[in-house]
Amino acid sequence: MRHRVIMVLAIVTVLLGGVMLVPAAYTRLTGGDALASIGSIGGIGGGEKVPAPAPTPPPPPTLADAPVSVSFKGEFFSWALMDRKTGEISGAKNMTSTNSTESMIKAWFASDYLHQLGDKPLSAERKRQIDTAIRDSNDDAANALYKANGSAKSITRMIKTCGLTDTKPGTVPGYVGWWSFTQMSPQDAVRLGDCVADGKAAGTKWTKFVLDEMAKVRGTVKDQQQRSGGGHWGIIDGLPESITSQGPVSIKNGWTPLNYDGNWHVNCLAVTDKWSLAVMMRYPQKAGLEYGAKVCASVATQLVTPQPGAALKVPQQPVGKL
């Protein structure tokens, strides 16, 4: 019996020694890397830790609803912004109030003509009219397109096609039927911008062409003639490079100093694949066109998200007290 106990103890000793020798020998053969790797699994041991995933970069800057404050001196000021992904419209409390469209509506005349043209070729003369009506805000070219579209029928078609709810033909005494006196709200203006950009206005074939023309608007507030004028100002000047570098910004402004009320009527419209923004106003003519251009720029700057810096200041001195 005693011999058996001694034999069992001897066997156990040998087995325990072998278990302890195997990992030690394996460590010498592998340099310890294997066991370190085994130890790192599940957080066991002191092996190398798996690096944490890189943080998700923030979305690129865009325009989004935000408080807007301008020290505006004039008869009417309003703005609206559409998120083109959701269709949601935000803006000033009076964004359903209206202003005369002036040249802003010329983008519709070009789109309406091309939609009716369809797959037929665009003549050189009509292309020239579209180019100059949009890029140079040429009144004669716009009149030709308006007439080709059926005149007042084009306004009716715009209201129906773009789902406008506040827009009405002009009714100012002495100017009834003039396309420039069409009354439109900022809410409807951003719908018009969306209507041009999503293809409803010009149709699939011509939409990119119209948007490209609007992105090529040229001339400053100082480049003004009797029947045309520079229109590259306003919202576009309030956008940082971090937004303008994302893709084309298509614009069409409208502006006229009117004798019947003594005001500048100024409208700014800009649209991208993400948003549509409109700013509309009336203020005394002595303030000049530059005043309205800077108001439009200031609104755009204040809506940039995230904010890159302070918003532009709107000059008040040229306007004075009303």
Side-chain angles (χ1 to χ4, degrees):
M1 182 66 178
R2 182 179 179 185
H3 293 294
R4 292 180 180 177
V5 172
I6 293 171
M7 184 176 294
V8 170
L9 290 173
I11 293 172
V12 170
T13 300
V14 170
L15 290 175
L16 288 174
V19 170
M20 295 177 68
L21 285 172
V22 168
Y26 187 71
T27 299
R28 286 195 297 271
L29 290 172
T30 62
D33 293 340
L35 287 183
S37 298
I38 294 171
S40 67
I41 298 175
I44 301 174
E48 184 179 352
K49 294 182 180 179
V50 177
T56 303
T62 187
L63 297 191
D65 186 27
V68 168
S69 176
V70 294
S71 298
F72 181 75
K73 301 290 185 180
E75 181 180 295
F76 171 75
F77 164 75
S78 188
W79 64 274
L81 173 69
M82 174 188 281
D83 181 333
R84 296 196 56 232
K85 302 300 181 182
T86 65
E88 183 178 354
I89 299 176
S90 55
K93 291 181 180 180
N94 64 341
M95 67 178 178
T96 61
S97 298
T98 63
N99 196 28
S100 58
T101 59
E102 307 307 326
S103 296
M104 183 176 69
I105 202 172
K106 292 172 182 175
W108 165 258
F109 295 152
S111 300
D112 191 29
Y113 177 81
L114 292 168
H115 199 168
Q116 295 180 84
L117 184 67
D119 292 329
K120 290 180 285 187
L122 178 63
S123 70
E125 178 60 15
R126 291 299 188 198
K127 184 179 184 301
R128 184 194 64 79
Q129 290 170 352
I130 291 172
D131 287 348
T132 56
I134 293 180
R135 297 190 195 187
D136 302 317
S137 205
N138 185 279
D139 289 337
D140 296 327
N143 285 334
L145 293 171
Y146 179 62
K147 185 176 180 180
N149 292 344
S151 300
K153 292 179 181 179
S154 185
I155 305 298
T156 302
R157 214 162 25 245
M158 175 182 68
I159 293 171
K160 181 178 180 180
T161 301
C162 300
L164 310 185
T165 57
D166 310 314
T167 301
K168 296 178 177 61
T171 57
V172 176
Y175 301 95
V176 176
W178 287 36
W179 52 259
S180 59
F181 285 87
T182 301
Q183 296 296 304
M184 184 179 292
S185 66
Q187 175 177 256
D188 274 357
V190 297
R191 288 170 175 160
L192 174 60
D194 179 63
C195 186
V196 171
D198 72 5
K200 290 190 187 75
T204 304
K205 178 178 179 180
W206 298 107
T207 294
K208 185 178 183 303
F209 171 64
V210 174
L211 292 174
D212 286 346
E213 289 296 307
M214 294 172 68
K216 295 173 182 174
V217 169
R218 56 201 171 198
T220 70
V221 292
K222 297 180 180 180
D223 301 323
Q224 304 301 316
Q225 294 82 43
Q226 185 66 31
R227 305 292 296 169
S228 63
H232 193 273
W233 44 262
I235 291 171
I236 191 71
D237 293 333
L239 301 176
E241 191 273 339
S242 57
I243 287 183
T244 58
S245 63
Q246 294 178 32
V249 179
S250 300
I251 66 173
K252 186 67 194 85
N253 298 328
W255 63 100
T256 305
L258 295 175
N259 293 327
Y260 82 89
D261 66 357
N263 286 322
W264 271 103
H265 289 221
V266 176
N267 310 301
C268 300
L269 175 64
V271 62
T272 71
D273 60 346
K274 296 181 177 66
W275 48 262
S276 177
L277 174 62
V279 185
M280 307 178 77
M281 71 200 85
R282 295 187 298 274
Y283 58 86
Q285 291 183 24
K286 59 184 178 180
L289 178 56
E290 186 177 0
Y291 178 85
K294 288 188 176 182
V295 170
C296 290
S298 179
V299 173
T301 300
Q302 293 179 66
L303 295 175
V304 174
T305 303
Q307 275 287 309
L312 296 177
K313 293 183 179 180
V314 180
Q316 301 176 38
Q317 292 81 359
V319 181
K321 294 181 180 180
L322 300 180

PDB file of all heavy atoms in Angstrom, residues 164-192:
ATOM      1  N   LEU A 164     -46.911  77.510 -55.687  1.00  0.00           N
ATOM      2  CA  LEU A 164     -46.805  78.784 -54.982  1.00  0.00           C
ATOM      3  C   LEU A 164     -48.158  79.179 -54.392  1.00  0.00           C
ATOM      4  O   LEU A 164     -49.194  79.050 -55.052  1.00  0.00           O
ATOM      5  CB  LEU A 164     -46.306  79.871 -55.934  1.00  0.00           C
ATOM      6  CG  LEU A 164     -45.042  79.522 -56.743  1.00  0.00           C
ATOM      7  CD1 LEU A 164     -44.584  80.726 -57.565  1.00  0.00           C
ATOM      8  CD2 LEU A 164     -43.924  79.030 -55.835  1.00  0.00           C
ATOM      9  N   THR A 165     -48.151  79.657 -53.159  1.00  0.00           N
ATOM     10  CA  THR A 165     -49.402  79.950 -52.456  1.00  0.00           C
ATOM     11  C   THR A 165     -49.644  81.433 -52.204  1.00  0.00           C
ATOM     12  O   THR A 165     -50.768  81.829 -51.901  1.00  0.00           O
ATOM     13  CB  THR A 165     -49.437  79.215 -51.101  1.00  0.00           C
ATOM     14  OG1 THR A 165     -48.294  79.607 -50.322  1.00  0.00           O
ATOM     15  CG2 THR A 165     -49.409  77.708 -51.305  1.00  0.00           C
ATOM     16  N   ASP A 166     -48.604  82.242 -52.310  1.00  0.00           N
ATOM     17  CA  ASP A 166     -48.739  83.673 -51.995  1.00  0.00           C
ATOM     18  C   ASP A 166     -48.582  84.558 -53.226  1.00  0.00           C
ATOM     19  O   ASP A 166     -48.743  85.779 -53.131  1.00  0.00           O
ATOM     20  CB  ASP A 166     -47.683  84.093 -50.955  1.00  0.00           C
ATOM     21  CG  ASP A 166     -47.647  83.164 -49.756  1.00  0.00           C
ATOM     22  OD1 ASP A 166     -48.733  82.835 -49.242  1.00  0.00           O
ATOM     23  OD2 ASP A 166     -46.544  82.760 -49.335  1.00  0.00           O
ATOM     24  N   THR A 167     -48.243  83.981 -54.357  1.00  0.00           N
ATOM     25  CA  THR A 167     -47.878  84.736 -55.560  1.00  0.00           C
ATOM     26  C   THR A 167     -49.108  85.140 -56.369  1.00  0.00           C
ATOM     27  O   THR A 167     -50.023  84.337 -56.577  1.00  0.00           O
ATOM     28  CB  THR A 167     -46.923  83.905 -56.429  1.00  0.00           C
ATOM     29  OG1 THR A 167     -45.762  83.587 -55.670  1.00  0.00           O
ATOM     30  CG2 THR A 167     -46.517  84.654 -57.678  1.00  0.00           C
ATOM     31  N   LYS A 168     -49.095  86.397 -56.836  1.00  0.00           N
ATOM     32  CA  LYS A 168     -50.198  86.912 -57.646  1.00  0.00           C
ATOM     33  C   LYS A 168     -49.637  87.832 -58.724  1.00  0.00           C
ATOM     34  O   LYS A 168     -48.609  88.484 -58.529  1.00  0.00           O
ATOM     35  CB  LYS A 168     -51.182  87.708 -56.775  1.00  0.00           C
ATOM     36  CG  LYS A 168     -51.887  86.882 -55.708  1.00  0.00           C
ATOM     37  CD  LYS A 168     -52.803  87.747 -54.878  1.00  0.00           C
ATOM     38  CE  LYS A 168     -53.568  86.915 -53.849  1.00  0.00           C
ATOM     39  NZ  LYS A 168     -52.651  86.243 -52.897  1.00  0.00           N
ATOM     40  N   PRO A 169     -50.328  87.915 -59.866  1.00  0.00           N
ATOM     41  CA  PRO A 169     -49.911  88.870 -60.910  1.00  0.00           C
ATOM     42  C   PRO A 169     -49.942  90.293 -60.369  1.00  0.00           C
ATOM     43  O   PRO A 169     -50.701  90.610 -59.446  1.00  0.00           O
ATOM     44  CB  PRO A 169     -50.957  88.666 -62.011  1.00  0.00           C
ATOM     45  CG  PRO A 169     -51.502  87.296 -61.775  1.00  0.00           C
ATOM     46  CD  PRO A 169     -51.471  87.094 -60.293  1.00  0.00           C
ATOM     47  N   GLY A 170     -49.097  91.153 -60.930  1.00  0.00           N
ATOM     48  CA  GLY A 170     -49.012  92.526 -60.468  1.00  0.00           C
ATOM     49  C   GLY A 170     -50.301  93.300 -60.667  1.00  0.00           C
ATOM     50  O   GLY A 170     -50.968  93.166 -61.694  1.00  0.00           O
ATOM     51  N   THR A 171     -50.658  94.110 -59.666  1.00  0.00           N
ATOM     52  CA  THR A 171     -51.888  94.902 -59.744  1.00  0.00           C
ATOM     53  C   THR A 171     -51.639  96.384 -59.454  1.00  0.00           C
ATOM     54  O   THR A 171     -52.559  97.132 -59.152  1.00  0.00           O
ATOM     55  CB  THR A 171     -52.933  94.371 -58.739  1.00  0.00           C
ATOM     56  OG1 THR A 171     -52.375  94.400 -57.416  1.00  0.00           O
ATOM     57  CG2 THR A 171     -53.360  92.958 -59.082  1.00  0.00           C
ATOM     58  N   VAL A 172     -50.373  96.806 -59.507  1.00  0.00           N
ATOM     59  CA  VAL A 172     -50.054  98.213 -59.257  1.00  0.00           C
ATOM     60  C   VAL A 172     -50.658  99.061 -60.370  1.00  0.00           C
ATOM     61  O   VAL A 172     -50.441  98.777 -61.552  1.00  0.00           O
ATOM     62  CB  VAL A 172     -48.529  98.427 -59.188  1.00  0.00           C
ATOM     63  CG1 VAL A 172     -48.206  99.911 -59.019  1.00  0.00           C
ATOM     64  CG2 VAL A 172     -47.930  97.612 -58.055  1.00  0.00           C
ATOM     65  N   PRO A 173     -51.446 100.082 -60.031  1.00  0.00           N
ATOM     66  CA  PRO A 173     -52.050 100.944 -61.070  1.00  0.00           C
ATOM     67  C   PRO A 173     -50.994 101.481 -62.040  1.00  0.00           C
ATOM     68  O   PRO A 173     -49.964 102.004 -61.637  1.00  0.00           O
ATOM     69  CB  PRO A 173     -52.678 102.087 -60.252  1.00  0.00           C
ATOM     70  CG  PRO A 173     -52.958 101.472 -58.913  1.00  0.00           C
ATOM     71  CD  PRO A 173     -51.822 100.508 -58.671  1.00  0.00           C
ATOM     72  N   GLY A 174     -51.276 101.322 -63.313  1.00  0.00           N
ATOM     73  CA  GLY A 174     -50.341 101.777 -64.329  1.00  0.00           C
ATOM     74  C   GLY A 174     -49.329 100.721 -64.729  1.00  0.00           C
ATOM     75  O   GLY A 174     -48.612 100.888 -65.720  1.00  0.00           O
ATOM     76  N   TYR A 175     -49.260  99.620 -63.961  1.00  0.00           N
ATOM     77  CA  TYR A 175     -48.284  98.567 -64.249  1.00  0.00           C
ATOM     78  C   TYR A 175     -48.936  97.186 -64.292  1.00  0.00           C
ATOM     79  O   TYR A 175     -48.257  96.176 -64.194  1.00  0.00           O
ATOM     80  CB  TYR A 175     -47.181  98.558 -63.190  1.00  0.00           C
ATOM     81  CG  TYR A 175     -46.418  99.852 -63.076  1.00  0.00           C
ATOM     82  CD1 TYR A 175     -46.773 100.798 -62.131  1.00  0.00           C
ATOM     83  CD2 TYR A 175     -45.348 100.131 -63.927  1.00  0.00           C
ATOM     84  CE1 TYR A 175     -46.072 102.003 -62.022  1.00  0.00           C
ATOM     85  CE2 TYR A 175     -44.649 101.325 -63.821  1.00  0.00           C
ATOM     86  CZ  TYR A 175     -45.025 102.257 -62.853  1.00  0.00           C
ATOM     87  OH  TYR A 175     -44.330 103.441 -62.750  1.00  0.00           O
ATOM     88  N   VAL A 176     -50.253  97.149 -64.417  1.00  0.00           N
ATOM     89  CA  VAL A 176     -50.966  95.874 -64.444  1.00  0.00           C
ATOM     90  C   VAL A 176     -50.481  95.038 -65.627  1.00  0.00           C
ATOM     91  O   VAL A 176     -50.404  95.526 -66.764  1.00  0.00           O
ATOM     92  CB  VAL A 176     -52.489  96.102 -64.535  1.00  0.00           C
ATOM     93  CG1 VAL A 176     -53.213  94.763 -64.674  1.00  0.00           C
ATOM     94  CG2 VAL A 176     -52.984  96.848 -63.300  1.00  0.00           C
ATOM     95  N   GLY A 177     -50.139  93.787 -65.357  1.00  0.00           N
ATOM     96  CA  GLY A 177     -49.678  92.890 -66.409  1.00  0.00           C
ATOM     97  C   GLY A 177     -48.177  92.887 -66.603  1.00  0.00           C
ATOM     98  O   GLY A 177     -47.649  92.069 -67.358  1.00  0.00           O
ATOM     99  N   TRP A 178     -47.457  93.783 -65.947  1.00  0.00           N
ATOM    100  CA  TRP A 178     -45.998  93.782 -66.055  1.00  0.00           C
ATOM    101  C   TRP A 178     -45.450  92.615 -65.234  1.00  0.00           C
ATOM    102  O   TRP A 178     -45.757  92.488 -64.044  1.00  0.00           O
ATOM    103  CB  TRP A 178     -45.435  95.100 -65.538  1.00  0.00           C
ATOM    104  CG  TRP A 178     -45.649  96.279 -66.438  1.00  0.00           C
ATOM    105  CD1 TRP A 178     -46.740  96.533 -67.224  1.00  0.00           C
ATOM    106  CD2 TRP A 178     -44.747  97.369 -66.632  1.00  0.00           C
ATOM    107  NE1 TRP A 178     -46.583  97.709 -67.897  1.00  0.00           N
ATOM    108  CE2 TRP A 178     -45.371  98.255 -67.561  1.00  0.00           C
ATOM    109  CE3 TRP A 178     -43.483  97.683 -66.130  1.00  0.00           C
ATOM    110  CZ2 TRP A 178     -44.766  99.431 -67.981  1.00  0.00           C
ATOM    111  CZ3 TRP A 178     -42.889  98.868 -66.557  1.00  0.00           C
ATOM    112  CH2 TRP A 178     -43.510  99.727 -67.473  1.00  0.00           C
ATOM    113  N   TRP A 179     -44.609  91.800 -65.868  1.00  0.00           N
ATOM    114  CA  TRP A 179     -44.079  90.632 -65.154  1.00  0.00           C
ATOM    115  C   TRP A 179     -43.232  91.030 -63.954  1.00  0.00           C
ATOM    116  O   TRP A 179     -43.189  90.318 -62.951  1.00  0.00           O
ATOM    117  CB  TRP A 179     -43.278  89.725 -66.089  1.00  0.00           C
ATOM    118  CG  TRP A 179     -42.182  90.378 -66.898  1.00  0.00           C
ATOM    119  CD1 TRP A 179     -42.255  90.743 -68.207  1.00  0.00           C
ATOM    120  CD2 TRP A 179     -40.864  90.731 -66.456  1.00  0.00           C
ATOM    121  NE1 TRP A 179     -41.063  91.299 -68.621  1.00  0.00           N
ATOM    122  CE2 TRP A 179     -40.185  91.298 -67.563  1.00  0.00           C
ATOM    123  CE3 TRP A 179     -40.180  90.618 -65.252  1.00  0.00           C
ATOM    124  CZ2 TRP A 179     -38.869  91.756 -67.489  1.00  0.00           C
ATOM    125  CZ3 TRP A 179     -38.864  91.065 -65.163  1.00  0.00           C
ATOM    126  CH2 TRP A 179     -38.227  91.631 -66.270  1.00  0.00           C
ATOM    127  N   SER A 180     -42.551  92.173 -64.029  1.00  0.00           N
ATOM    128  CA  SER A 180     -41.680  92.587 -62.929  1.00  0.00           C
ATOM    129  C   SER A 180     -42.468  92.939 -61.668  1.00  0.00           C
ATOM    130  O   SER A 180     -41.912  92.947 -60.568  1.00  0.00           O
ATOM    131  CB  SER A 180     -40.825  93.786 -63.350  1.00  0.00           C
ATOM    132  OG  SER A 180     -41.642  94.870 -63.738  1.00  0.00           O
ATOM    133  N   PHE A 181     -43.775  93.219 -61.820  1.00  0.00           N
ATOM    134  CA  PHE A 181     -44.607  93.563 -60.673  1.00  0.00           C
ATOM    135  C   PHE A 181     -45.364  92.359 -60.112  1.00  0.00           C
ATOM    136  O   PHE A 181     -46.245  92.528 -59.265  1.00  0.00           O
ATOM    137  CB  PHE A 181     -45.585  94.684 -61.038  1.00  0.00           C
ATOM    138  CG  PHE A 181     -44.920  96.026 -61.117  1.00  0.00           C
ATOM    139  CD1 PHE A 181     -44.338  96.450 -62.299  1.00  0.00           C
ATOM    140  CD2 PHE A 181     -44.830  96.850 -60.011  1.00  0.00           C
ATOM    141  CE1 PHE A 181     -43.710  97.681 -62.380  1.00  0.00           C
ATOM    142  CE2 PHE A 181     -44.201  98.084 -60.081  1.00  0.00           C
ATOM    143  CZ  PHE A 181     -43.635  98.501 -61.269  1.00  0.00           C
ATOM    144  N   THR A 182     -45.044  91.182 -60.593  1.00  0.00           N
ATOM    145  CA  THR A 182     -45.612  89.979 -59.986  1.00  0.00           C
ATOM    146  C   THR A 182     -45.276  89.978 -58.494  1.00  0.00           C
ATOM    147  O   THR A 182     -44.123  90.190 -58.113  1.00  0.00           O
ATOM    148  CB  THR A 182     -45.020  88.711 -60.640  1.00  0.00           C
ATOM    149  OG1 THR A 182     -45.306  88.738 -62.041  1.00  0.00           O
ATOM    150  CG2 THR A 182     -45.610  87.447 -60.021  1.00  0.00           C
ATOM    151  N   GLN A 183     -46.279  89.764 -57.660  1.00  0.00           N
ATOM    152  CA  GLN A 183     -46.081  89.792 -56.213  1.00  0.00           C
ATOM    153  C   GLN A 183     -45.748  88.393 -55.705  1.00  0.00           C
ATOM    154  O   GLN A 183     -46.478  87.441 -55.951  1.00  0.00           O
ATOM    155  CB  GLN A 183     -47.343  90.314 -55.518  1.00  0.00           C
ATOM    156  CG  GLN A 183     -47.675  91.757 -55.862  1.00  0.00           C
ATOM    157  CD  GLN A 183     -46.593  92.719 -55.387  1.00  0.00           C
ATOM    158  OE1 GLN A 183     -46.243  92.755 -54.203  1.00  0.00           O
ATOM    159  NE2 GLN A 183     -46.058  93.504 -56.310  1.00  0.00           N
ATOM    160  N   MET A 184     -44.624  88.278 -54.996  1.00  0.00           N
ATOM    161  CA  MET A 184     -44.167  86.973 -54.510  1.00  0.00           C
ATOM    162  C   MET A 184     -43.607  87.114 -53.096  1.00  0.00           C
ATOM    163  O   MET A 184     -42.988  88.131 -52.767  1.00  0.00           O
ATOM    164  CB  MET A 184     -43.092  86.392 -55.439  1.00  0.00           C
ATOM    165  CG  MET A 184     -42.624  84.992 -55.072  1.00  0.00           C
ATOM    166  SD  MET A 184     -41.371  84.334 -56.221  1.00  0.00           S
ATOM    167  CE  MET A 184     -42.353  84.123 -57.709  1.00  0.00           C
ATOM    168  N   SER A 185     -43.825  86.120 -52.270  1.00  0.00           N
ATOM    169  CA  SER A 185     -43.305  86.120 -50.899  1.00  0.00           C
ATOM    170  C   SER A 185     -41.956  85.398 -50.853  1.00  0.00           C
ATOM    171  O   SER A 185     -41.634  84.604 -51.750  1.00  0.00           O
ATOM    172  CB  SER A 185     -44.281  85.392 -49.970  1.00  0.00           C
ATOM    173  OG  SER A 185     -44.350  84.011 -50.319  1.00  0.00           O
ATOM    174  N   PRO A 186     -41.164  85.628 -49.808  1.00  0.00           N
ATOM    175  CA  PRO A 186     -39.942  84.835 -49.639  1.00  0.00           C
ATOM    176  C   PRO A 186     -40.230  83.333 -49.559  1.00  0.00           C
ATOM    177  O   PRO A 186     -39.462  82.521 -50.078  1.00  0.00           O
ATOM    178  CB  PRO A 186     -39.363  85.365 -48.326  1.00  0.00           C
ATOM    179  CG  PRO A 186     -39.853  86.770 -48.244  1.00  0.00           C
ATOM    180  CD  PRO A 186     -41.245  86.722 -48.806  1.00  0.00           C
ATOM    181  N   GLN A 187     -41.330  82.968 -48.918  1.00  0.00           N
ATOM    182  CA  GLN A 187     -41.699  81.548 -48.845  1.00  0.00           C
ATOM    183  C   GLN A 187     -41.866  80.965 -50.245  1.00  0.00           C
ATOM    184  O   GLN A 187     -41.384  79.865 -50.541  1.00  0.00           O
ATOM    185  CB  GLN A 187     -43.009  81.401 -48.058  1.00  0.00           C
ATOM    186  CG  GLN A 187     -43.556  79.984 -48.031  1.00  0.00           C
ATOM    187  CD  GLN A 187     -44.816  79.873 -47.190  1.00  0.00           C
ATOM    188  OE1 GLN A 187     -44.789  79.376 -46.073  1.00  0.00           O
ATOM    189  NE2 GLN A 187     -45.944  80.352 -47.721  1.00  0.00           N
ATOM    190  N   ASP A 188     -42.555  81.699 -51.132  1.00  0.00           N
ATOM    191  CA  ASP A 188     -42.736  81.222 -52.498  1.00  0.00           C
ATOM    192  C   ASP A 188     -41.446  81.322 -53.304  1.00  0.00           C
ATOM    193  O   ASP A 188     -41.202  80.512 -54.215  1.00  0.00           O
ATOM    194  CB  ASP A 188     -43.838  82.017 -53.197  1.00  0.00           C
ATOM    195  CG  ASP A 188     -45.225  81.447 -52.924  1.00  0.00           C
ATOM    196  OD1 ASP A 188     -45.318  80.408 -52.234  1.00  0.00           O
ATOM    197  OD2 ASP A 188     -46.215  82.042 -53.396  1.00  0.00           O
ATOM    198  N   ALA A 189     -40.609  82.298 -52.992  1.00  0.00           N
ATOM    199  CA  ALA A 189     -39.347  82.445 -53.734  1.00  0.00           C
ATOM    200  C   ALA A 189     -38.443  81.232 -53.526  1.00  0.00           C
ATOM    201  O   ALA A 189     -37.798  80.770 -54.469  1.00  0.00           O
ATOM    202  CB  ALA A 189     -38.635  83.726 -53.319  1.00  0.00           C
ATOM    203  N   VAL A 190     -38.374  80.703 -52.292  1.00  0.00           N
ATOM    204  CA  VAL A 190     -37.534  79.513 -52.089  1.00  0.00           C
ATOM    205  C   VAL A 190     -38.169  78.297 -52.753  1.00  0.00           C
ATOM    206  O   VAL A 190     -37.465  77.382 -53.185  1.00  0.00           O
ATOM    207  CB  VAL A 190     -37.250  79.242 -50.594  1.00  0.00           C
ATOM    208  CG1 VAL A 190     -36.461  80.386 -49.983  1.00  0.00           C
ATOM    209  CG2 VAL A 190     -38.523  78.970 -49.799  1.00  0.00           C
ATOM    210  N   ARG A 191     -39.484  78.282 -52.844  1.00  0.00           N
ATOM    211  CA  ARG A 191     -40.147  77.211 -53.596  1.00  0.00           C
ATOM    212  C   ARG A 191     -39.808  77.311 -55.083  1.00  0.00           C
ATOM    213  O   ARG A 191     -39.621  76.296 -55.761  1.00  0.00           O
ATOM    214  CB  ARG A 191     -41.663  77.298 -53.398  1.00  0.00           C
ATOM    215  CG  ARG A 191     -42.151  76.890 -52.013  1.00  0.00           C
ATOM    216  CD  ARG A 191     -43.614  77.239 -51.828  1.00  0.00           C
ATOM    217  NE  ARG A 191     -44.138  76.743 -50.556  1.00  0.00           N
ATOM    218  CZ  ARG A 191     -45.238  77.217 -49.972  1.00  0.00           C
ATOM    219  NH1 ARG A 191     -45.919  78.207 -50.550  1.00  0.00           N
ATOM    220  NH2 ARG A 191     -45.647  76.717 -48.820  1.00  0.00           N
ATOM    221  N   LEU A 192     -39.742  78.543 -55.587  1.00  0.00           N
ATOM    222  CA  LEU A 192     -39.354  78.745 -56.980  1.00  0.00           C
ATOM    223  C   LEU A 192     -37.930  78.249 -57.209  1.00  0.00           C
ATOM    224  O   LEU A 192     -37.645  77.564 -58.207  1.00  0.00           O
ATOM    225  CB  LEU A 192     -39.465  80.223 -57.348  1.00  0.00           C
ATOM    226  CG  LEU A 192     -38.962  80.614 -58.736  1.00  0.00           C
ATOM    227  CD1 LEU A 192     -39.744  79.881 -59.823  1.00  0.00           C
ATOM    228  CD2 LEU A 192     -39.052  82.131 -58.940  1.00  0.00           C
TER     229      LEU A 192
END
